[in-house]
Amino acid sequence: MTTKEQQATAPGIKQDSRRTDISKTSLFINRAGAYFIVAILLVIGLIIAQGRFVSIDNIRSILNAVSLTGMACAGLAFVVYSANFNDMSLPMTMALSGMMAVQLIPFGIVVSVVGGIAAGTLVGVVNGILIGKFRANPIIWTLAFNMVLSGIVRVAWGGSQIYPDTVAGDSEFAQQAAVQFNSFARTYFFDGALPLMVVVMIVLFVFAYFMMTRTRFGNKLKMVGSNYEAARLSGVNCAKTVILAYVLCSLCAAIAGIFYTSMTKIGAYSNGEGYDFDCLTAVLLGGMTLAGGKGNIVGVFGGVLVVGMLKNIMTLIGISTFSQYLVTGVVFLIVVWINTSSERKLGRA
């Protein structure tokens, strides 16, 4: 007879009737909640828009609309997974990368793109060192650094917008580079069915999936996000792990910023505004939590799809932009509540 059975049969001792099994519903929500919402939105879209919602043009529109958010989310997931909440400097990382890329157009398209990505990635290096090595508060530091970057960009370019064709000047070589730069966001494959931005987004998600699930870095990142002190005492170089997480975050944001600038054909300090919240919304909808060490990149991709499909459906039925903010906010609160509830039932929160 087991100890529990002996306690149950002993006089005066009540049997422990608390549930010890795991709720299958909570486990499903935790692992595939985002895709369950995708399925619901798909049904809603088919009902209200019938054939239009699943048309090639509309599917391409949804993917194109979320591609920039998806690129940034692929990187932000590393920061959230490491229990560092959010990267509030993400908007200016995108803006700086785009403006630097435009400024370097006279030197050719390769120098332009590499220089833009390098400038954005440098932001991640600074963030990583201050937060990973010196343990600065991630929200306060990145928010303050975002303001510093905004000031630097405004002073460097005199608060003005810059245009690829204007920066290129009269040089035929530079003008050709400007045309190539502006075409990034307008390049399609398979007779216009697959945008280049979507391809890049998918590549970044595949890269993020590989880094999180198939490398030692991914294992260390999970340990740091789950329990920083336990990871440190286990011999994990926590500072190096957090630094790399921020570098990857800024790398992806820089790529998104270059595509954003290519799409608008304008380099401006306002590029990227709002992406810090939009990307965090998608990451949390995908099942990751601010506590860190939970969720996966496949779920984050589902969260990106949820955001895109929700906005597309609201546009199709004629909901105004301001009302869309309200609906998106309410949906975000509901899903986060469901996610938190399922985490508690699984004994993870």
Side-chain angles (χ1 to χ4, degrees), residues 254-314:
I255 295 173
I258 290 174
F259 273 100
Y260 188 105
T261 305
S262 172
M263 182 175 63
T264 60
K265 297 183 180 181
I266 299 173
Y269 57 81
S270 59
N271 288 359
E273 284 185 355
Y275 273 82
D276 47 352
F277 177 75
D278 286 348
C279 292
L280 181 62
T281 301
V283 170
L284 296 183
L285 283 171
M288 287 196 173
T289 68
L290 296 177
K294 301 177 180 69
N296 56 73
I297 202 67
V298 176
V300 172
F301 184 73
V304 171
L305 292 179
V306 169
V307 171
M309 293 176 68
L310 181 62
K311 291 184 177 180
N312 183 260
I313 289 174
M314 289 190 290

Side-chain angles (χ1 to χ4, degrees), residues 28-42:
F28 171 77
I29 291 174
N30 183 264
R31 291 181 176 177
Y35 291 96
F36 179 66
I37 300 172
V38 167
I40 293 176
L41 292 175
L42 179 61

Side-chain angles (χ1 to χ4, degrees), residues 175-259:
Q175 283 292 341
Q176 184 179 3
V179 172
Q180 292 174 326
F181 182 84
N182 290 335
S183 68
F184 285 156
R186 297 165 181 80
T187 300
Y188 296 85
F189 302 105
F190 305 112
D191 296 326
L194 184 62
L196 174 61
M197 292 200 298
V198 175
V199 173
V200 173
M201 176 187 68
I202 294 174
V203 168
L204 290 179
F205 267 106
V206 171
F207 169 75
Y209 176 81
F210 174 80
M211 290 294 292
M212 283 191 177
T213 62
R214 296 292 186 270
T215 65
R216 294 172 62 185
F217 163 72
N219 293 329
K220 292 178 181 178
L221 190 68
K222 183 176 179 63
M223 292 177 65
V224 170
S226 300
N227 192 317
Y228 186 95
E229 284 303 315
R232 184 180 64 82
L233 294 174
S234 299
V236 175
N237 190 332
C238 297
K240 183 179 178 180
T241 303
V242 172
I243 290 172
L244 184 53
Y246 273 96
V247 168
L248 291 173
C249 177
S250 293
L251 171 66
C252 293
I255 295 173
I258 290 174
F259 273 100

Side-chain angles (χ1 to χ4, degrees), residues 14-343:
K14 293 183 178 180
Q15 183 177 4
D16 189 351
S17 60
R18 292 176 297 177
R19 292 185 59 182
T20 58
D21 61 316
I22 294 177
S23 169
K24 293 182 179 180
T25 303
S26 298
L27 190 61
F28 171 77
I29 291 174
N30 183 264
R31 291 181 176 177
Y35 291 96
F36 179 66
I37 300 172
V38 167
I40 293 176
L41 292 175
L42 179 61
V43 173
I44 294 174
L46 289 172
I47 293 174
I48 65 174
Q50 298 179 355
R52 288 186 299 159
F53 187 73
V54 292
S55 65
I56 296 296
D57 289 340
N58 193 57
I59 293 175
R60 181 179 59 202
S61 176
I62 293 174
L63 293 175
N64 219 16
V66 301
S67 57
L68 294 177
T69 302
M71 292 178 201
C73 281
L76 183 62
F78 290 102
V79 171
V80 177
Y81 200 58
S82 68
N84 282 291
F85 306 116
N86 192 15
D87 183 359
M88 302 298 290
S89 65
L90 192 146
M92 283 310 303
T93 302
M94 293 177 64
L96 175 64
S97 302
M99 295 188 77
M100 185 60 71
V102 172
Q103 192 64 54
L104 294 174
I105 279 179
F107 300 97
I109 191 63
V110 175
V111 174
S112 169
V113 173
V114 172
I117 293 176
T121 305
L122 183 60
V123 176
V125 174
V126 176
N127 283 337
I129 292 175
L130 266 294
I131 296 170
K133 188 173 181 62
F134 296 100
R135 303 300 302 276
N137 183 286
I139 294 297
I140 295 175
W141 168 258
T142 55
L143 181 60
F145 196 39
N146 189 72
M147 296 176 66
V148 170
L149 288 173
S150 179
I152 292 174
V153 168
R154 290 169 191 259
V155 170
W157 281 279
S160 302
Q161 299 175 339
I162 55 177
Y163 304 87
D165 53 348
T166 302
V167 172
D170 298 327
S171 170
E172 183 178 347
F173 173 75
Q175 283 292 341
Q176 184 179 3
V179 172
Q180 292 174 326
F181 182 84
N182 290 335
S183 68
F184 285 156
R186 297 165 181 80
T187 300
Y188 296 85
F189 302 105
F190 305 112
D191 296 326
L194 184 62
L196 174 61
M197 292 200 298
V198 175
V199 173
V200 173
M201 176 187 68
I202 294 174
V203 168
L204 290 179
F205 267 106
V206 171
F207 169 75
Y209 176 81
F210 174 80
M211 290 294 292
M212 283 191 177
T213 62
R214 296 292 186 270
T215 65
R216 294 172 62 185
F217 163 72
N219 293 329
K220 292 178 181 178
L221 190 68
K222 183 176 179 63
M223 292 177 65
V224 170
S226 300
N227 192 317
Y228 186 95
E229 284 303 315
R232 184 180 64 82
L233 294 174
S234 299
V236 175
N237 190 332
C238 297
K240 183 179 178 180
T241 303
V242 172
I243 290 172
L244 184 53
Y246 273 96
V247 168
L248 291 173
C249 177
S250 293
L251 171 66
C252 293
I255 295 173
I258 290 174
F259 273 100
Y260 188 105
T261 305
S262 172
M263 182 175 63
T264 60
K265 297 183 180 181
I266 299 173
Y269 57 81
S270 59
N271 288 359
E273 284 185 355
Y275 273 82
D276 47 352
F277 177 75
D278 286 348
C279 292
L280 181 62
T281 301
V283 170
L284 296 183
L285 283 171
M288 287 196 173
T289 68
L290 296 177
K294 301 177 180 69
N296 56 73
I297 202 67
V298 176
V300 172
F301 184 73
V304 171
L305 292 179
V306 169
V307 171
M309 293 176 68
L310 181 62
K311 291 184 177 180
N312 183 260
I313 289 174
M314 289 190 290
T315 300
L316 289 175
I317 61 179
I319 296 179
S320 66
T321 302
F322 294 111
S323 298
Q324 287 187 24
Y325 286 124
L326 174 62
V327 174
T328 303
V330 171
V331 170
F332 170 65
L333 292 175
I334 293 174
V335 174
V336 169
W337 174 77
I338 293 175
N339 179 265
T340 303
S341 178
S342 65
E343 287 285 330

